[in-house]
Amino acid sequence: MKKVLMTALCLLLFLCLVDHGLLNAQSDYRVGWETSMKKVFIKGDRGGFQGSFNFPVEISLAKNEYESFQLVVIGNKNLTGVRVVASDLSDNKGNKISAQNIKVSPVGYVEIKPEYLKPAQSQDIVGWWPDPILEFMEAVDIKQGDIQPFWVRVYVPKGAIAGTYNSKLTIRANNSGSKEIDIKVNVWDFNLPDKPSMRTAMHLNEREEIGGIYNVETGSAMYEQLIRKTYNFLMDYRIGPDVLYGKIGDIVYVGQLAQTRWLKRINLGYIEARAYSTESEFQEALESFISWLKNSRIPVFRKLGLMKYAYIYCFDEHITHPWAKAAVQRLQQEFPDIPLMTTGDLRDHPEYLDEYSGIDIWVRWQLPSLISWISTVEEARRRGKEVWWYISVGGNKPNWNLENKLIETRLIAGAINAKYHPDGFLYWKLNNWVKVDPPNDHPIASGPYTDWKPLSGRSDDRNYFGDGILFYPGPDGPIPSIRLENFRDGMEDYEYYVLLGKLANANTTAGADLLSRAEAALQVNSAVVEDMSHYTTNPQILYQEREKVAKLILRLSEGVQLPPEEDDNPPAPPTGIKVVQ
């Protein structure tokens, strides 16, 4: 009788599992996860799936911060309509963080084709590369054998209670059962600021790229809507809206954003000599530019309260042009209170500080940790100059081309900035979509395999993929890339070091041992970044360092009340670039 009863119970359990699709789910697909700092290749090439199948997934973050991971579904058969739904985050004290703060989206793929390569380039990079995050898609089809990641972005609001929270992610498919996995979120008891501490000047092409990819007329209602949506989108990723090679379009709306959100720097206009055949033509253009600034642009900036953020960008990578020196003197004479910015090599040419004394912001390609370079930087700062840096097209590392390690993007914006203390970061273009060969002519509208052409930069011997693109056009506006997500994560990592430094200075009762550990952390662990050629590619090392810094912040914040966020333009005197000797 007992045997019959046991058989019946087993049959009932089996039928229940079948009814709920659990047995189908077990055999139809597997679920794993990967950090936000490693790329997951949909075809399993380049080493296969290297993530984990062990749960729960655990992440840690401050309040007013984003942190992500990738939930990975591996299809054992063709799956349709695969989607992931999150539950509220809750702790064991009844506190909750709404599931609205967890955004889950499929990761899309762009293809590097053989015909995109130059003869000297390796065929090893041909294939599908993860990059766009398809936020417009709630579900995605997964082919048998494909390894499909979903980007899981968690945000903790300012008012949240610190502690450990738990949530469940439910994976569902139209033609299979569901699975639940657990996530654990540790919320640290401090807030990150709304306004980023690091200044940026990252070029947004409005008319040609945004207007071109959406085929909308400049000045139309749709164009204005797309531009404003893009400004806010970039600010969500701690990038101020800016145009390097021209003027930003909707300056009135930027003025509103400076009041309601934040602003760090904004370009008044751009002057260049290479576009002119003769010096007389250039001189005429320069005088016209000066007149336009004085009579049109500056009055608008003043009315909107934007002059404290303003700079003039000039002579991009060509400050040594024969006509540049006199032009810089002329601009300084007309606008002595407006910083002039250029990209020039102070490292090898410290004499530029004298020859181009009117330049206020020097932007250097890469950040070499050389004693001679550091002495030049310190001399520039003694003269009241700012020293920024930038990355650009090239096979150099660190960089954020598609072929580079994903963690490099986070290090560029975070630990590297924290180690070397530049005054700002410049990037030549955020949305190089249309002005490429072959060009893109429509937004991304489907996935995970997209028809986007990722060729965006080139040199004599190779083409570069992803250079000049940190976000993509979706059906209704901008969508992020996994590199842009890592850029924001790095900007947030940088805030940890800024906050730690402020607390170390403000805490007058901390013991010598605690302050010593804080000072050591502010140097940035060489296991994370030793120099610009040696840095970690292991996310766990970065996570461990974040946790160490967070714990120091919590210790030093005891009994300390920092003043509220202030407008830091013009900037306070810099602390100086540090060198690992």
Side-chain angles (χ1 to χ4, degrees), residues 29-48:
Y29 59 91
R30 299 183 70 191
V31 179
W33 67 275
E34 181 57 274
T35 74
S36 60
M37 290 177 266
K38 285 194 171 183
K39 296 177 181 178
V40 177
F41 293 94
I42 195 166
K43 291 302 183 185
D45 48 357
R46 298 177 177 84

Side-chain angles (χ1 to χ4, degrees), residues 176-327:
S176 186
S178 62
K179 288 185 181 181
E180 284 188 348
I181 64 100
D182 295 316
I183 64 173
K184 180 180 177 182
V185 177
N186 302 309
V187 178
W188 288 317
D189 197 13
F190 58 89
N191 289 294
L192 296 191
D194 291 323
K195 182 177 183 178
S197 298
M198 177 57 60
R199 304 172 189 89
T200 60
M202 303 176 75
H203 176 59
L204 175 69
N205 186 301
E206 298 177 334
R207 180 176 57 83
E208 293 171 305
E209 301 290 356
I210 296 177
I213 202 76
Y214 289 100
N215 194 26
V216 294
E217 291 291 330
T218 304
S220 67
M222 179 58 71
Y223 180 82
E224 179 183 271
Q225 179 182 344
L226 286 167
I227 293 298
R228 294 186 172 191
K229 185 181 289 188
T230 303
Y231 291 172
N232 279 287
F233 168 83
L234 291 175
M235 296 179 84
D236 288 344
Y237 284 88
R238 295 184 172 261
I239 298 172
D242 205 359
V243 170
L244 290 176
Y245 315 107
K247 64 174 185 176
I248 199 159
D250 198 341
I251 191 61
V252 173
Y253 188 62
V254 171
Q256 295 174 17
L257 291 173
Q259 298 297 320
T260 60
R261 298 194 66 175
W262 54 268
L263 202 61
K264 298 291 286 188
R265 288 291 194 191
I266 187 75
N267 185 20
L268 269 167
Y270 176 63
I271 184 68
E272 176 61 87
R274 287 174 291 174
Y276 303 95
S277 302
T278 66
E279 186 173 3
S280 61
E281 288 179 354
F282 170 68
Q283 290 299 328
E284 183 179 348
L286 176 63
E287 293 305 317
S288 177
F289 177 67
I290 290 171
S291 176
W292 171 73
L293 288 176
K294 293 171 69 173
N295 299 318
S296 298
R297 199 63 170 167
I298 290 175
V300 173
F301 269 55
R302 285 203 177 108
K303 182 178 180 180
L304 296 172
L306 296 177
M307 285 304 297
K308 59 186 175 182
Y309 310 111
Y311 68 92
I312 298 170
Y313 190 51
C314 58
F315 303 105
D316 177 70
E317 295 185 332
H318 281 78
I319 190 60
T320 56
H321 192 283
W323 308 332
K325 191 178 298 184

Side-chain angles (χ1 to χ4, degrees), residues 37-79:
M37 290 177 266
K38 285 194 171 183
K39 296 177 181 178
V40 177
F41 293 94
I42 195 166
K43 291 302 183 185
D45 48 357
R46 298 177 177 84
F49 177 62
Q50 300 176 8
S52 174
F53 293 103
N54 298 320
F55 293 95
V57 183
E58 184 173 357
I59 60 173
S60 301
L61 66 165
K63 289 178 274 190
N64 197 34
E65 183 180 14
Y66 296 87
E67 191 65 35
S68 303
F69 66 92
Q70 297 174 84
L71 185 70
V72 179
V73 177
I74 303 173
N76 294 328
K77 73 170 190 177
N78 290 335
L79 299 168

Side-chain angles (χ1 to χ4, degrees), residues 13-30 170-173 175-181:
L13 177 60
F14 176 80
L15 292 173
C16 288
L17 291 172
V18 171
D19 181 60
H20 285 83
L22 296 179
L23 288 182
N24 287 339
Q26 291 294 329
S27 60
D28 290 347
Y29 59 91
R30 299 183 70 191
T170 303
I171 303 101
R172 299 189 177 112
N175 60 340
S176 186
S178 62
K179 288 185 181 181
E180 284 188 348
I181 64 100

Side-chain angles (χ1 to χ4, degrees), residues 66 68 133 135 151 153 237 409 470 480-490:
Y66 296 87
S68 303
I133 299 178
E135 294 187 328
W151 198 266
R153 182 194 307 121
Y237 284 88
T409 306
L470 276 185
S481 67
I482 60 177
R483 293 172 297 137
L484 182 62
E485 293 283 338
N486 273 268
F487 180 87
R488 176 169 60 190
D489 289 342

